[in-house]
Amino acid sequence: MARGRCRLTAARRSAHLETLRPYDLVVAPVVTALGAVLAGPAVPPWRLLPAGVLGLTACAGALYTADYLTRHEDGRTKPHRPIPSGRLPAAVARRCAVLLWLAAFVLATLVNWRSLLFVGLAVLAQDAYGRWLKNRGLWGDAAVGFSGWSCPLLAGACCTAPWPPAHLAAPALLLSVQGTLGNLLLAVDDRPHDLRAGCRTLPVRHGPDRAWTVLTALAVAEYAGALLLPVRAGPRTAPVFLLLVLSAAATAAAVLVTVRRRADRAVELHMYERVLLPAALWALTGEAFVAVAVAAVSAGVLRLTSRPMLRPAPYEEGGAVGT
């Protein structure tokens, strides 16, 4: 009996780890800390810690929330995931989401009450996506980009400034576009599942070819905008910015080519692209070494962690645009 209890505990731990998705968690503190450093350049490193913890906590809460709200759809199309499989009870996932969001609200209040606005907006957007916006095509993808990228950046800025400075509008918009692209890419990979579940995502509504066109337009807008940022930043621009942003753009191009054949592999490539752009934006502060370190450490975490939540159900094959 004790041995069975140990096995159950190990299964529960594994289910929590799958739900928390380390490949997503690694990006959250980078984006919130980026907001803090862009809002207050030359701040001591210890002042970035609250921003990183805030991003980590809010992201964890968002992951539990998303899986809880989509548990019925997952039960029909992805029964191997933690909640549908029973390895993680829905009530436990709901409690984890509530506790993590409460912790994020408390931390935001202690650091700067104004950051509560952006944490609250992220909660509302995530909830709206899980309940309604996933079935509204690109609107749902944009809600994820806003809640998962723009809101953390602006909340992090409040850790070193009373309000996010005006010059953060452009980075926030770029990251929101990147987040929108990433969620649309996941929708392309999930198209067979969403068709069975009746979800009206953009690839389901308009087909994979239209989805690829939108993905291309988002990538072009993202990196055209990124290359204009040094003009606005002036003397803060570091040469390493161009190296990182061009590396990110090349990775995005590889994603667009790969998604035609294997959408699941394109999602894997995008994981690296989405850490390169925040690192490039970090270089705009002139901290070239830190920017490269952020990119290297984040890429290392991606390389070393497994991604079971991105795997198809045992009876499914990886998707591709055009199939």
Side-chain angles (χ1 to χ4, degrees):
M1 184 173 179
R3 186 175 301 173
R5 190 180 299 114
C6 289
R7 282 199 296 267
L8 179 62
T9 303
R12 184 69 60 80
R13 284 199 299 266
S14 173
H16 280 289
L17 185 61
E18 285 182 36
T19 302
L20 286 171
R21 301 166 175 82
Y23 51 88
D24 281 331
L25 285 181
V26 71
V27 183
V30 170
V31 173
T32 47
L34 172 65
V37 76
L38 286 175
V43 298
W46 64 266
R47 290 195 62 188
L48 303 182
L49 183 61
V53 174
L54 177 59
L56 202 63
T57 306
C59 180
L63 292 172
Y64 279 108
T65 300
D67 282 7
Y68 176 76
L69 292 176
T70 59
R71 66 193 185 281
H72 299 301
E73 296 167 12
D74 288 345
R76 293 192 296 270
T77 60
K78 301 173 185 176
H80 61 296
R81 284 191 164 187
I83 296 178
S85 68
R87 291 178 291 128
L88 180 63
V92 173
R94 184 179 65 244
R95 285 197 295 270
C96 288
V98 170
L99 289 173
L100 285 163
W101 280 120
L102 284 175
F105 275 105
V106 170
L107 181 58
T109 304
L110 292 174
V111 173
N112 179 353
W113 65 266
R114 298 171 183 87
S115 62
L116 283 171
L117 171 64
F118 305 107
V119 176
L121 286 173
V123 173
L124 291 175
Q126 281 287 334
D127 186 70
Y129 175 76
R131 295 182 187 276
W132 309 294
L133 290 179
K134 185 174 181 179
N135 291 313
R136 298 295 184 271
L138 193 61
W139 286 106
D141 302 316
V144 172
F146 172 73
S147 63
W149 296 86
S150 297
C151 287
L153 183 85
L154 299 174
C158 292
C159 294
T160 54
W163 285 101
H167 68 261
L168 259 68
L173 180 60
L174 286 178
L175 290 176
S176 182
V177 172
Q178 186 182 51
T180 302
L181 184 155
N183 201 69
L184 177 55
L185 186 62
L186 287 171
V188 170
D189 190 30
D190 280 345
R191 184 170 177 264
H193 304 290
D194 290 333
L195 277 168
R196 285 201 302 274
C199 294
R200 301 287 292 165
T201 61
L202 189 148
V204 170
R205 284 168 173 261
H206 302 290
D209 289 332
R210 175 71 65 84
W212 186 86
T213 301
V214 176
L215 285 170
T216 303
L218 289 170
V220 170
E222 178 184 346
Y223 289 103
L227 290 171
L228 292 175
L229 281 179
V231 177
R232 296 173 179 239
R236 291 190 304 159
T237 304
V240 73
F241 168 81
L242 285 176
L243 174 64
L244 289 171
V245 82
L246 290 175
S247 298
T251 307
V255 167
L256 293 173
V257 171
T258 305
V259 75
R260 286 286 194 179
R261 302 188 305 272
R262 288 289 302 269
D264 54 341
R265 291 187 179 171
V267 170
E268 292 279 342
L269 279 173
H270 175 69
M271 295 293 167
Y272 292 92
E273 182 220 337
R274 67 179 187 167
V275 299
L276 284 169
L277 182 59
L281 295 175
W282 202 305
L284 291 177
T285 64
E287 298 179 1
F289 175 79
V290 176
V292 172
V294 165
V297 171
S298 300
V301 172
L302 292 175
R303 181 69 180 85
L304 295 173
T305 54
S306 61
R307 293 181 264 282
M309 294 291 277
L310 295 180
R311 294 177 192 152
Y315 50 82
E316 288 292 340
E317 297 293 334
V321 168
T323 60

